[in-house]
Amino acid sequence: MTLKFARLGTAGNEQPAVIAQDANGAEKYYSLASLTTDIDGGFLASDGIARTREALESGKLKEISAEGVRVGTPVARPGNVIAIGLNYTAHAAESGATPPEVPVVFLKPTNTISGPFDAAPIPPSSEKYDWEVELAIVIGKEASYLSSASEAANHIAGYAVANDLSERDYQIPGAAGQWTKGKSLPGSTPLGPWLVPADDIEPGNLRLQTLVNGESRQDSSTSDMIFDPATIVHHLSQYMVLEPGDVIITGTPEGVALSGRFPFIQPGDVIELEIDGLGRQRQEYYRAVAGAAHPVSFVGTNA
Ligand code: ZN
């Protein structure tokens, strides 16, 4: 049975849930409150996914309604959000870069994570805010100095959709070889709607799409990745400890505004990002105003 893990509720009050098909094939939502207080590293590291399957099969989970309820990020605020750059050949080309021989790695602050349907702010003076649909890996057990990619695969809990929003003027000119300023903005990592267990999805050939106001911008496949998820986890484990609940976003395919083919994000734009089997995000963009509070908390996920 394919499971979809979700966290439902207002920012900071998300409750753990799982979506599964009942005996008639109808999709139902079930509370995970009897198993865990949250979908976080502790839950994933203690075989939470397997325990969820057992509880579902024995009818122990209570059905809930998700109607009208906000969908939060599918995992609680992680210890780290690690990003891979230039991991698709055609995107490297449109960025004016040569495809890397080893993974390009950068970090995003964990308070950039936001819900997949939350209104998304364009920074007050930004003119080059850009979308990046990406396959996100969620780590299921600690990974350090792993010996091989096949071993690394066992440390992946599952996958989700991410948007690696990037401000190109802050990221590139004068950045002196670092991208951090363009990759750290409030709400710049919408994640979700679901975490799908690694056992339930084959990540090697998934269609990824971005639509801006209904028009196609990105439409590629994870089969075009230079470094696949297991290779990325193996590689990263040589340089840092990956902890349960950590999120790795694995790079974006071609079709970003940086290519010069499309306008950058404007206030009022609606952006939808979808990966086969992992669901669809949708964000409405607005201009953030200096000094004004954000309409949703970007740091409010249960820690
Ligand atoms: Zn990216």
Side-chain angles (χ1 to χ4, degrees):
M1 186 188 333
T2 297
L3 302 184
K4 300 168 183 169
F5 288 84
R7 295 169 65 255
L8 307 175
T10 55
N13 299 296
E14 293 91 345
Q15 299 298 312
V18 66
I19 307 162
Q21 293 188 333
D22 69 9
N24 300 318
E27 209 157 62
K28 297 281 173 62
Y29 285 71
Y30 301 91
S31 170
L32 291 178
S34 61
L35 293 183
T36 186
T37 56
D38 208 346
I39 300 169
D40 54 13
F43 171 73
L44 297 172
S46 60
D47 292 322
I49 291 172
R51 289 188 286 117
T52 300
R53 284 191 209 282
E54 287 166 17
L56 270 173
E57 279 159 18
S58 53
K60 286 182 185 155
L61 297 184
K62 181 170 161 257
E63 193 180 329
I64 53 171
S65 167
E67 211 172 304
V69 181
R70 172 182 172 271
V71 180
T73 61
V75 286
R77 186 174 176 177
N80 272 304
V81 178
I82 303 140
I84 305 300
L86 306 171
N87 196 25
Y88 289 77
T89 305
H91 172 65
E94 74 178 356
S95 306
T98 45
E101 291 176 12
V102 295
V104 172
V105 178
F106 59 98
L107 299 174
K108 295 194 78 163
T110 59
N111 70 356
T112 60
I113 295 266
S114 61
F117 306 109
D118 291 344
I122 302 168
S125 57
S126 163
E127 293 176 2
K128 292 187 178 174
Y129 210 39
D130 206 350
W131 55 86
E132 292 191 349
V133 66
E134 305 200 10
L135 177 71
I137 298 167
V138 178
I139 294 294
K141 61 178 178 179
E142 186 178 295
S144 182
Y145 301 128
L146 300 178
S147 60
S148 67
S150 59
E151 183 189 6
N154 298 323
H155 294 253
I156 297 173
Y159 298 94
V161 181
N163 186 1
D164 177 21
L165 287 158
S166 305
E167 214 298 336
R168 303 304 187 188
D169 270 344
Y170 305 170
Q171 178 191 354
I172 298 167
Q178 61 79 41
W179 294 351
T180 301
K181 287 180 284 186
K183 297 282 192 177
S184 299
L185 292 148
S188 66
T189 317
L191 186 70
W194 313 313
L195 168 66
V196 176
D199 286 342
D200 295 347
I201 192 156
E202 165 52 52
N205 186 16
L206 301 175
R207 185 181 184 191
L208 319 88
Q209 296 181 80
T210 301
L211 295 98
V212 179
N213 303 322
E215 293 180 13
S216 178
R217 293 288 186 262
Q218 296 183 286
D219 189 355
S220 291
S221 165
T222 56
S223 63
D224 293 334
M225 277 186 175
I226 299 171
F227 305 105
D228 68 16
T231 300
I232 289 167
V233 170
H234 173 238
H235 183 80
L236 290 174
S237 80
Q238 310 308 310
Y239 305 99
M240 64 183 78
V241 178
L242 302 172
E243 296 178 308
D246 280 357
V247 172
I248 304 166
I249 58 176
T250 58
T252 200
E254 68 170 325
V256 297
L258 176 65
S259 67
R261 290 188 284 148
F262 310 111
F264 287 97
I265 302 172
Q266 302 298 317
D269 280 354
V270 173
I271 302 191
E272 296 164 281
L273 306 100
E274 181 168 2
I275 301 179
D276 278 357
L278 299 177
R280 175 178 281 220
Q281 307 186 346
R282 181 184 189 279
Q283 294 113 33
E284 295 182 24
Y285 286 75
Y286 66 94
R287 176 71 68 182
V289 178
H294 293 291
V296 292
S297 169
F298 299 117
V299 295
T301 49
N302 296 331

